[in-house]
């Protein structure tokens, strides 16, 4: 089985050494960078499966870097786990809203990091999917979502979505007519079940609707007040 490649971006050398050793021991292929400039060079030349991104960096703060990577077609689908010494809830929420897949607060145990990496890879990867599932496509009123190419189109026009927006739309379209609660969406897409974080679902739904509204499709995603969201049936 091919090793998953993990890029660790942190300006603390002892953390890089510790994580590189332990992740390598656990079967990962590890790349390290002390700043975003170094990370960008690695991303240009290597296939990276997941990033561990520290918030406090010398050349660009982690939140700005996260936003940059989520807007770049080359990196927007790479799972990113934010690493920070800040424990405030607002930092966590902002990270999730910008597209982080998970969030780890220093100090952390190596076992916790490995467990979270494996969980994120399972959620975002295609391991165990059948060929039929990978090739699956969903369509509605000229809107087409293709899982294999990870693309969304309206007629012949490509709709640019972030990874999380794509996953939300896929889950809703796959369950047309069924109400998906905020908690279910959060758990299935972010892997979180913590109280108080469901607002990040609402934020992503708002962004998704805004993009669909350009084609008159915003009402396809219905709000079920006090419960969650539902994709309309034909």
């Amino acid at each position: 089985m091919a090793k998953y490649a993990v890029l660790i971006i942190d300006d603390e050398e002892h953390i890089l050494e510790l994580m590189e050793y332990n992740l390598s021991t656990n079967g990962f292929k590890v790349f390290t960078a002390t700043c975003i400039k170094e990370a960008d060079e690695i991303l240009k030349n290597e296939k990276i499966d997941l990033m561990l991104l520290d918030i406090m960096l010398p050349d660009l703060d982690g939140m700005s870097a996260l936003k940059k990577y989520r807007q770049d077609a080359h990196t927007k689908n790479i799972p990113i786990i934010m690493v920070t010494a800040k424990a405030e809830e607002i930092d966590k929420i902002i990270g999730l809203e910008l597209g982080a897949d998970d969030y780890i607060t220093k100090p952390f145990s190596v076992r916790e990091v490995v467990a979270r990496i494996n969980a994120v890879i399972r959620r975002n990867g295609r391991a165990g999917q059948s060929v039929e599932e990978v090739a699956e496509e969903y369509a509605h009123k000229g809107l087409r979502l293709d899982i294999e190419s990870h693309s969304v189109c309206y007629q012949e026009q490509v709709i640019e979505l972030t990874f999380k927006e794509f996953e939300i739309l896929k889950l809703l379209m796959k369950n047309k007519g069924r109400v998906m609660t905020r908690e279910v969406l959060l758990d299935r897409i972010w892997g979180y079940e913590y109280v108080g974080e469901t607002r990040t679902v609402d934020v992503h739904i708002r962004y998704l609707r805004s993009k669909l509204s350009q084609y008159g499709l915003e009402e396809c995603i219905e709000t079920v007040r006090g419960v969650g969201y539902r994709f309309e049936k034909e």
Side-chain angles (χ1 to χ4, degrees):
M1 181 181 294
K3 291 183 178 180
Y4 286 110
V6 176
L7 171 59
I8 309 171
I9 311 169
D10 198 306
D11 63 341
E12 297 184 58
E13 294 285 354
H14 68 283
I15 289 181
L16 289 180
E17 292 175 4
L18 175 68
M19 293 306 301
E20 182 174 17
Y21 171 77
N22 283 281
L23 290 182
S24 297
T25 301
N26 279 275
F28 294 98
K29 184 178 181 180
V30 182
F31 297 90
T32 63
T34 59
C35 62
I36 297 302
K37 183 179 179 180
E38 290 180 8
D40 287 347
E41 286 301 312
I42 294 171
L43 288 164
K44 285 179 184 176
N45 300 302
E46 304 290 343
K47 182 184 180 300
I48 299 299
D49 297 300
L50 180 142
M51 283 188 264
L52 283 173
L53 175 60
D54 189 45
I55 283 185
M56 302 299 290
L57 293 167
D59 55 347
L60 186 66
D61 68 272
M63 291 298 188
S64 298
L66 173 62
K67 188 174 181 180
K68 165 177 126 80
Y69 289 139
R70 284 295 173 249
Q71 293 174 343
D72 188 322
H74 179 64
T75 58
K76 68 178 183 179
N77 294 326
I78 299 177
I80 297 176
I81 299 177
M82 302 298 293
V83 181
T84 182
K86 295 181 179 181
E88 290 84 353
E89 183 183 9
I90 188 64
D91 294 314
K92 188 172 185 178
I93 291 172
I94 290 172
L96 293 175
E97 290 177 353
L98 288 176
D101 293 85
D102 205 342
Y103 199 99
I104 300 175
T105 304
K106 296 177 183 177
F108 50 75
S109 69
V110 173
R111 181 177 296 180
E112 177 190 9
V113 175
V114 172
R116 286 178 180 265
I117 288 174
N118 284 325
V120 169
I121 287 175
R122 282 197 302 272
R123 288 202 305 270
N124 291 277
R126 288 180 173 173
Q129 288 183 316
S130 66
V131 172
E132 290 75 19
E133 184 178 4
V134 171
E136 201 165 8
E137 178 180 288
Y138 300 107
H140 183 85
K141 293 182 178 178
L143 180 69
R144 191 176 77 255
L145 183 148
D146 189 286
I147 294 176
E148 186 173 21
S149 64
H150 206 273
S151 63
V152 177
C153 299
Y154 176 69
Q155 296 177 355
E156 299 301 320
Q157 301 178 68
V158 175
I159 304 175
E160 293 291 342
L161 300 182
T162 66
F163 180 82
K164 289 293 188 293
E165 290 164 357
F166 180 90
E167 291 298 309
I168 290 172
L169 184 59
K170 180 178 74 174
L171 190 57
L172 290 174
M173 292 185 75
K174 186 177 182 179
N175 294 277
K176 279 184 184 179
R178 290 182 54 194
V179 177
M180 307 299 289
T181 67
R182 290 174 174 82
E183 289 76 17
V184 166
L185 288 167
L186 196 63
D187 180 52
R188 294 280 294 277
I189 296 171
W190 282 268
Y192 288 94
E193 299 177 308
Y194 306 129
V195 175
E197 291 181 1
T198 54
R199 58 171 284 189
T200 196
V201 174
D202 298 328
V203 170
H204 281 76
I205 289 286
R206 187 169 72 245
Y207 292 156
L208 178 56
R209 276 177 171 158
S210 176
K211 293 178 180 180
L212 294 177
S213 70
Q214 301 174 48
Y215 309 96
L217 297 169
E218 68 276 14
E219 293 184 1
C220 289
I221 300 176
E222 303 169 345
T223 299
V224 181
R225 190 175 297 278
V227 182
Y229 299 95
R230 173 177 58 211
F231 198 92
E232 68 174 6
K233 286 189 175 181
E234 294 280 5

